[in-house]
Amino acid sequence: MVSAESASPQGAQSGWFEGPVHVFPGRVYYEDTDAAGIVYYANYLKFAERARTEMMRCLGTEHRRLLKEAGVAFAVRNCDAEYMLPARLDDAYVVRTLVDEVRGASLRMTQTVCRVEADDSEMPLVCVGIRLACMDAHLRPARLPAPVRDALATIAGTN
């Protein structure tokens, strides 16, 4: 079901891995901004969610398939965000996701949204710390399926 070796190559739609860090590119669209053309604060959480979803896809699984085959899904247990600088309309950005810890039924990640500058350098905008819980169809904690846990532990360096 899942393997760290199935990571997408650089430039792929789902992003790519640079060592243990998943990199997901994006761009700020009009719908992401407020009246001043600045990204609305809650939309950074959407950027981070998309990056986590695509990281799982790079590892060889999709949320829908995980629910269908293993009967589990992820839910956000805790989330904190530090806003450092704003992104603006048309800015290119990347979300860098690092898996910090994998446990039996949960995992912690750090995600940094960075603006990509004209010289390809990156300026950190928002840092999101997130803890996800694995849940069954009855919304009770459930163990991560072994292949998913193993793939996540491998990129976290805890396997």
Side-chain angles (χ1 to χ4, degrees):
M1 181 197 278
V2 177
S3 75
E5 290 76 34
S6 62
S8 298
Q10 188 162 351
Q13 186 175 2
S14 292
W16 59 89
F17 281 94
E18 292 177 0
V21 177
H22 180 260
V23 181
F24 180 71
R27 182 166 304 277
V28 176
Y29 296 108
Y30 188 77
E31 66 187 18
D32 300 320
T33 64
D34 61 17
I38 295 172
V39 172
Y40 180 67
Y41 78 97
N43 287 335
Y44 292 102
L45 299 179
K46 291 180 182 182
F47 299 165
E49 177 72 35
R50 290 177 192 144
R52 289 192 307 274
T53 297
E54 296 304 328
M55 181 190 75
M56 293 301 292
R57 192 179 317 278
C58 281
L59 291 173
T61 195
E62 299 170 351
H63 290 298
R64 180 177 46 190
R65 194 171 86 200
L66 190 61
L67 184 58
K68 182 179 178 184
E69 293 176 5
V72 298
F74 292 108
V76 174
R77 171 93 167 124
N78 182 278
C79 176
D80 63 77
E82 181 179 356
Y83 298 90
M84 296 167 278
L85 291 169
R88 299 178 189 281
L89 182 62
D90 290 329
D91 281 352
Y93 66 84
V94 294
V95 181
R96 295 186 165 276
T97 303
L98 179 64
V99 178
D100 299 314
E101 179 183 46
V102 180
R103 300 178 56 101
S106 67
L107 57 138
R108 282 187 315 104
M109 299 180 185
T110 300
Q111 295 184 275
T112 306
V113 181
C114 300
R115 180 175 46 242
V116 178
E117 304 291 343
D119 64 359
D120 286 334
S121 65
E122 296 177 9
M123 177 66 65
L125 304 176
V126 177
C127 185
V128 178
I130 194 150
R131 186 164 60 135
L132 300 174
C134 186
M135 299 175 61
D136 67 17
H138 302 289
L139 304 180
R140 293 190 193 113
R143 294 196 63 79
L144 286 162
V148 174
R149 188 201 162 303
D150 292 348
L152 290 166
T154 298
I155 62 172
T158 59
N159 195 11

